[in-house]
Amino acid sequence: AEYMGSQDHTLLRREQVEVSSAIRLKQTNTEDMKHQVAELNVELNEINKQRRSQIMDLSRKQAISKHYVNLKDGRYKRFCAGQTDREFERQYRRLQGLARVIDQFVGNSPEITEIFDNLKTTVEDTLQDLCPPTDERTSITS
């Protein structure tokens, strides 16, 4: 009976070592995957920043083109100086409002900070891209 107990102990010990080894391997794999996710998030943020910039540029060009087509057709007068600036300032103020809402969410519930990190970065980058003529830059992290 003592011999069987020793064998059982040896089997349990071997199984414990295998399980511990498997856990370490999975932890290493998890850390590697977390690192890859972080790298991909940085890449994704850069791509999104470029995309936003290109969309804003395209949108501005489309609005100007549409205006000139309508102007050519006799439907509109020429743009007044500052008319496009007012539109961008309106968009900028809207994003500032969104930034304030995000700050309030994070301020009231710090545990959700990680959830809002990408959105916060996106809004902050867009605010910097839009920077109105009056140069009212805002950081939602301050």
Side-chain angles (χ1 to χ4, degrees), residues 2 9 21 31 71 83 85-86 92 97 102 109 115:
E2 223 176 275
H9 180 68
S21 191
E31 290 303 315
L71 179 66
Q83 190 173 357
D85 289 342
R86 281 193 299 274
Y92 187 82
I102 293 170
S109 305
I115 295 170

Side-chain angles (χ1 to χ4, degrees), residues 37-133:
V37 165
E39 288 176 350
L40 290 173
N41 276 334
V42 167
E43 257 183 73
L44 184 61
N45 286 338
E46 282 301 312
I47 290 170
N48 278 332
K49 187 177 179 178
Q50 288 175 346
R51 183 180 142 269
R52 276 191 319 278
S53 177
Q54 290 170 348
I55 287 173
M56 289 175 55
D57 190 44
L58 178 62
S59 178
R60 187 180 71 251
K61 287 177 181 178
Q62 285 175 332
I64 290 169
S65 173
K66 181 179 175 184
H67 183 78
Y68 281 123
V69 166
N70 287 328
L71 179 66
K72 182 180 136 201
D73 294 342
R75 291 186 218 144
Y76 293 137
K77 297 181 199 168
R78 290 195 180 274
F79 270 138
C80 297
Q83 190 173 357
T84 55
D85 289 342
R86 281 193 299 274
E87 174 61 22
F88 285 111
E89 285 177 21
R90 185 185 67 77
Q91 290 178 16
Y92 187 82
R93 283 192 306 275
R94 188 184 303 172
L95 280 170
Q96 283 180 315
L98 179 59
R100 284 190 292 276
V101 168
I102 293 170
D103 281 340
Q104 286 176 343
F105 274 132
V106 172
N108 293 336
S109 305
E111 65 276 4
I112 64 171
T113 300
E114 189 176 312
I115 295 170
F116 283 97
D117 276 348
N118 283 340
L119 180 60
K120 199 172 180 179
T121 300
T122 299
V123 171
E124 196 169 58
D125 289 347
T126 304
L127 281 169
Q128 289 177 358
D129 289 345
L130 276 179
C131 188

Side-chain angles (χ1 to χ4, degrees), residues 29-41:
N29 288 343
T30 301
E31 290 303 315
D32 289 346
M33 286 179 184
K34 283 181 182 179
H35 183 69
Q36 288 174 342
V37 165
E39 288 176 350
L40 290 173
N41 276 334

